[in-house]
Amino acid sequence: MAAKISLTRYLVEQQREEGHIQPQLRLLIEVVARACKRISQAVNKGALGGVLGGAETENIQGEMQKKLDIIANEVLIEANEWGGHLAAMASEEMDSIYLVPNRYPQGEYLLLFDPLDGSSNIDVNVSIGTIFSVLKKPDGDRGIEENDFLQTGVNQVAAGYCVYGPQTTLVLTVGDGVVMFTLDREQGSFVLTEEHVKIPADTKEFAINMSNMRHWAPPVKRYIDECLQGKEGVRGKDFNMRWVASMVADVHRILTRGGVFMYPWDKREPDKAGKLRLMYEANPMAWLVEQAGGAATDGTQRILDVPVTKLHQRVPVFLGSKNEVDRVTSYHTEL
Ligand code: AHG
Ligand code: MN
Ligand code: MN
């Protein structure tokens, strides 16, 4: 039987043979994976660990925080601040950036994360996850500022997520395709379980929160109307719908068997570009999807090219199977 390849071995070999990963980046990914293991343990304990329910605080997005949002945020910070691989961190759950304290060495990288994605699913025992994105800090010795984080998605050097579902799975790209590791709880390590993740270009499955239909812009309405017409309509095939309300779980399904995921702008809050955040939700997911052969746009341009003006910027998201993303994107640009 072939030896199981752990995340550690995979990263060491990537560094040694392929030269894709610098030593500090390898350490960073290992540390994020370790933090995800701890979060996974807390998630698994649920009510037994006293981790369910609200924290009665609000984050900068104006969303009520859950206890696990805060726990996961603290686990990621504690795990990452002392290793010497990071200069600063940013999170959905922190108003501004977190500088690595002076007592620790400063590293070359910036880490952004959504510590707990799918918060509304925590208490109902449905899949949730952690999303992360890694950027290089600008050259020079000056201190890190929030502006240093405002880099377009194409600048990411690593991105991934960990989904806490029936299995705990870590999904990663460093720009050379997408790989998946499953947590082996007996061994306590992530084991490589999928090396060539590929999203089929065509699909019959879409994911969108249909309850917002009446608020959508015409291109999105047109696309979904056509899917709903099924075999008898212009698409000539029946579609299936899935909506987990955890982006990690919906994206994981798409990386596994294809599909298209949409969280569009809608007219309830016209000044808000969308619900999802660019830097620690859309950008890492867009890169993973592109690396698996799919596409990701905001309706008019590649998500990875969207200019960044602020840390908690929001963006409309269309991602997944290429032909479907191309179609819904073209509806936005057609007259
Ligand atoms: P978060 O829990 O980090 O705030 O993210 C939730 C996001 C995303 O994971 C999901 O796709 C979407 O919100 C669900 O939104 P609706 O509840 O509007 O369907
Ligand atoms: Mn999220
Ligand atoms: Mn979150």
Side-chain angles (χ1 to χ4, degrees), residues 92 114 116-119 209 243 245-247 263 275 277 281:
E92 178 186 322
D114 174 355
L116 209 293
D117 176 66
S119 301
N209 185 336
W243 183 251
S246 295
M247 189 193 201
Y263 211 116
K275 177 176 183 182
R277 278 66 41 130
E281 290 180 316

Side-chain angles (χ1 to χ4, degrees), residues 214-232:
R214 68 192 184 285
H215 307 297
W216 295 337
V220 180
K221 182 129 194 343
R222 174 183 168 194
Y223 175 79
I224 296 296
D225 279 346
E226 290 177 358
C227 292
L228 296 178
Q229 285 161 19
K231 263 200 185 83
E232 294 74 33

Side-chain angles (χ1 to χ4, degrees), residues 26-225:
R26 175 163 73 83
L27 176 62
L28 190 165
I29 295 167
E30 290 251 31
V31 172
V32 169
R34 204 178 307 143
C36 289
K37 261 191 264 180
R38 284 184 56 196
I39 298 168
S40 172
Q41 272 163 2
V43 168
N44 273 247
K45 284 198 179 118
L48 299 176
V51 298
L52 303 186
E56 283 165 21
T57 45
E58 220 179 65
N59 67 13
I60 192 165
Q61 336 275 335
E63 299 161 345
M64 289 308 290
Q65 292 175 304
K66 300 278 187 184
K67 284 184 194 161
L68 260 179
D69 289 322
I70 294 171
I71 294 168
N73 196 59
E74 282 170 2
V75 167
L76 281 155
I77 290 173
E78 277 170 24
N80 276 289
E81 66 180 357
W82 51 268
H85 52 285
L86 280 186
M89 296 178 243
S91 161
E92 178 186 322
E93 305 303 341
M94 297 190 290
D95 299 5
S96 43
I97 62 168
Y98 179 93
L99 298 172
V100 165
N102 284 335
R103 60 185 183 278
Y104 301 122
Q106 310 282 312
E108 293 170 34
Y109 293 98
L110 306 174
L111 174 65
L112 298 104
F113 45 82
D114 174 355
L116 209 293
D117 176 66
S119 301
S120 73
N121 282 324
I122 297 170
D123 293 355
V124 293
N125 202 356
V126 170
S127 295
I128 49 182
T130 297
I131 310 172
F132 64 94
S133 163
V134 185
L135 297 166
K136 201 85 194 275
K137 94 173 170 64
D139 291 337
D141 286 336
R142 63 168 180 78
I144 293 294
E145 297 163 3
E146 192 161 304
N147 269 340
D148 297 324
F149 278 81
L150 308 184
Q151 305 180 32
T152 47
V154 285
N155 288 327
Q156 293 173 102
V157 293
Y161 64 81
C162 187
V163 59
Y164 314 114
Q167 305 108 43
T168 288
T169 309
L170 183 86
V171 180
L172 173 72
T173 186
V174 289
D176 183 35
V178 177
V179 283
M180 292 185 179
F181 301 85
T182 306
L183 181 60
D184 180 334
R185 288 187 191 277
E186 278 101 64
Q187 300 293 327
S189 61
F190 281 101
V191 176
L192 183 67
T193 42
E194 187 57 65
E195 225 178 329
H196 304 287
V197 178
K198 199 93 198 120
I199 301 176
D202 291 302
T203 181
K204 292 177 169 183
E205 205 159 60
F206 67 85
I208 192 165
N209 185 336
M210 290 288 289
S211 68
N212 298 327
M213 189 171 207
R214 68 192 184 285
H215 307 297
W216 295 337
V220 180
K221 182 129 194 343
R222 174 183 168 194
Y223 175 79
I224 296 296
D225 279 346

